[in-house]
Amino acid sequence: MPEKISLTDGVLDVPAEPIIPFIEGDGTGVDIWPAARLVIDATVAKRYGGKRRIEWLEVLAGQKAFDETGDWLPQATVDTFREYLIGIKGPLTTPIGGGIRSLNVALRQILDLYVCLRPVRYFAGVPSPVKRPELVDMVIFRENTEDIYAGLEVEEGTPSAKKLIGLLKDNFGWEIKPDSGIGIKPVSQSGSKRLIRAALTYATERGRKSVTLVHKGNIMKFTEGAFRNWGYELTRDEFADVAVGWDDCDGNPGDKILVKDAIADITLQQVLTRPDEFDVIATLNLNGDYLSDALAAQVGGIGIAPGGNINYVTGHGIFEATHGTAPKYAGQDKVNPGSLLLSGVMMLEHLGWQEAADDIVAALEATIADKIVTYDFARLMDGATEVKTSEFASAIVDRL
Ligand code: NAP
């Protein structure tokens, strides 16, 4: 019987037939969602011999919601995600000129999904612009609620901007050009520590070797620099039995997880030149945005980059394709469903259905190894067979 997922003592309680809300997504959502769902359902059925099954529950958001209800993000959708804890979504159109800046950002803020989790790994055979893409195996924990994404901005020339500029001059003696727009960058101790705590817990549970705190603390000492310091403090206060900071062990962690830090700009170089030195990465919102897209490019681009937005305390999590709606391809059964499918893999892992997650990854790898791929990979590979979105999904199911 289909049942809700619940949270008991901080641990997800997943029934054999969990009810999982999904947003199909706009644009190419109509192509990639059915493909991803086909593979997920076939895998779960085969792996668990019919003893487990996902009961999908459609909720509306984006263009489809607006057309049907006049609301881009209906309250009922938010309420459903709140109630059922775990969900999955395709890409959503960002309404232009509407009250909501981005539906994705709105969902993250309403449900306080403070971790943006982006695993980045290489699948053999995927076309890549770098020489050794197989060395890339990183998991990025990007803070998802603070930093300059908090939306605290005033526009140049407005009364609010003038007022703020005056206030900063009068109270802090800060001279700011009168024709400036201003954004505020809040970075809290509690917000930073809960993100780094999630990264360290993940590293511990998954047997990862290191956690790198990526920051620009050399310039922004009290926000980014503080993030770094709070990370080391947390390591000492809460993870001393399993992890150790660089300075506390001179870079020799023994069998513990090594917690180190790196400046954001040099990190963007080093993930290219020495990717094997990075494992789990914990970073602030803007750095994480840049880093996760740059890394995704190394291993095949946004067509196969998955993501999850998670609050480990309340148990809420929404897994999602990281690319947009690619409207020029909508309804053509053409684009790569890999990003949404691998988001489904992350979701299965999060639910503890690891065997099913591993099966999908193995079947996806076998399909790519057979050079059966969608247009985005086909144009970069020699001797590939280009297939439609739905055919790619069927090919994966054939290889389960
Ligand atoms: P986009 O939809 O991500 O598309 C940009 C390009 O990425 C596409 O033209 C295509 O490249 C490639 N691409 C995207 N999805 C792909 C897939 N499944 N398989 C293979 N290639 C794929 O970005 P956009 O055109 O800037 O944004 C369109 C809309 O999406 C906007 O309304 C934007 O706000 C929204 N958006 C939503 C999300 C989200 O919901 N998470 C994220 C980003 C943007 P080629 O042209 O080279 O084939």
Side-chain angles (χ1 to χ4, degrees):
M1 199 185 61
E3 290 173 279
K4 278 183 213 169
I5 295 171
S6 56
L7 190 77
T8 312
D9 297 332
V11 179
L12 283 183
D13 200 346
V14 183
E17 293 187 36
I19 302 168
I20 297 187
F22 72 93
I23 296 169
E24 177 185 74
D26 297 324
T28 50
V30 295
D31 306 297
I32 59 175
W33 168 250
R37 177 178 172 164
L38 177 89
V39 177
I40 295 169
D41 284 345
T43 307
V44 169
K46 185 159 186 180
R47 161 57 64 174
Y48 301 114
K51 294 200 175 71
R52 287 183 187 173
R53 189 182 73 85
I54 295 173
E55 174 80 12
W56 300 106
L57 172 65
E58 179 161 20
V59 289
L60 298 177
Q63 191 70 49
K64 197 170 176 181
F66 187 74
D67 293 345
E68 289 187 26
T69 69
D71 205 345
W72 288 95
L73 184 59
Q75 187 59 39
T77 296
V78 176
D79 292 344
T80 305
F81 278 129
R82 209 188 290 282
E83 186 178 346
Y84 290 90
L85 296 184
I86 302 296
I88 187 164
K89 62 172 279 292
L92 295 175
T93 304
T94 300
I96 294 170
I100 294 179
R101 295 208 304 176
S102 155
L103 296 169
N104 299 302
V105 174
L107 265 175
R108 286 170 204 169
Q109 286 180 347
I110 293 168
L111 295 174
D112 193 24
L113 305 173
Y114 61 88
V115 172
C116 177
L117 181 61
R118 296 277 294 264
V120 191
R121 53 157 295 197
Y122 181 64
F123 294 96
V126 170
S128 160
V130 298
K131 279 189 188 155
R132 304 282 307 276
E134 70 280 2
L135 295 181
V136 178
D137 182 10
M138 304 178 204
V139 182
I140 302 171
F141 280 73
R142 166 187 167 194
E143 205 291 322
N144 221 4
T145 61
E146 301 193 331
D147 200 353
I148 54 164
Y149 285 68
L152 307 174
E153 288 191 307
V154 288
E155 190 180 352
E156 180 269 321
T158 59
S160 299
K162 286 188 184 126
K163 190 172 174 186
L164 188 56
I165 289 168
L167 198 139
L168 293 172
K169 183 170 168 44
D170 295 345
N171 291 274
F172 295 86
W174 295 355
E175 290 287 351
I176 295 172
K177 284 186 186 163
D179 59 344
S180 299
I182 299 181
I184 307 272
K185 178 185 173 80
V187 175
S188 70
Q189 178 170 178
S190 54
S192 300
K193 282 189 173 173
R194 68 177 180 173
L195 181 275
I196 300 165
R197 185 178 294 116
L200 274 160
T201 304
Y202 180 99
T204 308
E205 288 173 0
R206 310 282 174 122
R208 292 282 184 157
K209 298 273 177 285
S210 71
V211 174
T212 306
L213 308 165
V214 174
H215 61 89
K216 277 292 288 182
N218 52 335
I219 306 294
M220 294 168 271
K221 298 189 190 311
F222 304 130
T223 50
E224 305 245 346
F227 177 90
R228 167 195 178 276
N229 295 343
W230 289 325
Y232 284 125
E233 195 177 287
L234 184 87
T235 306
R236 279 191 294 272
D237 291 350
E238 296 184 22
F239 291 87
D241 50 337
V242 290
V244 61
W246 180 277
D247 286 345
D248 294 330
C249 69
D250 291 328
N252 284 317
D255 55 4
K256 291 184 177 176
I257 296 163
L258 177 64
V259 179
K260 49 188 177 162
D261 74 281
I263 304 285
D265 42 61
I266 197 72
T267 301
L268 281 162
Q269 285 193 26
Q270 290 182 346
V271 290
L272 271 172
T273 53
R274 344 204 270 245
D276 49 345
E277 291 183 13
F278 294 87
D279 193 343
V280 174
I281 291 175
T283 191
L284 301 98
N285 211 335
L286 180 63
N287 299 334
D289 199 358
Y290 295 153
L291 199 55
S292 40
D293 271 25
L295 273 165
Q298 285 193 50
V299 294
I302 53 177
I304 56 159
N309 299 290
I310 303 170
N311 182 323
Y312 288 95
V313 178
T314 63
H316 287 111
I318 300 182
F319 297 84
E320 65 175 358
T322 57
H323 55 71
T325 58
K328 67 182 176 187
Y329 297 124
Q332 292 180 25
D333 198 13
K334 184 177 171 80
V335 297
N336 193 337
S339 174
L340 190 55
L341 177 60
L342 289 170
S343 306
V345 167
M346 287 176 70
M347 185 186 79
L348 293 170
E349 286 179 345
H350 191 72
L351 297 180
W353 295 12
Q354 186 67 46
E355 316 80 12
D358 293 343
D359 288 350
I360 295 178
V361 169
L364 176 69
E365 282 178 330
T367 310
I368 295 169
D370 288 343
K371 297 197 170 189
I372 297 173
V373 290
T374 46
Y375 84 98
D376 51 323
F377 286 0
R379 67 188 171 187
L380 299 170
M381 288 164 79
D382 291 328
T385 305
E386 182 181 330
V387 293
K388 294 172 185 290
T389 312
S390 55
E391 292 168 340
F392 186 59
S394 300
I396 297 170
V397 171
D398 290 345
R399 287 163 180 74
L400 281 169

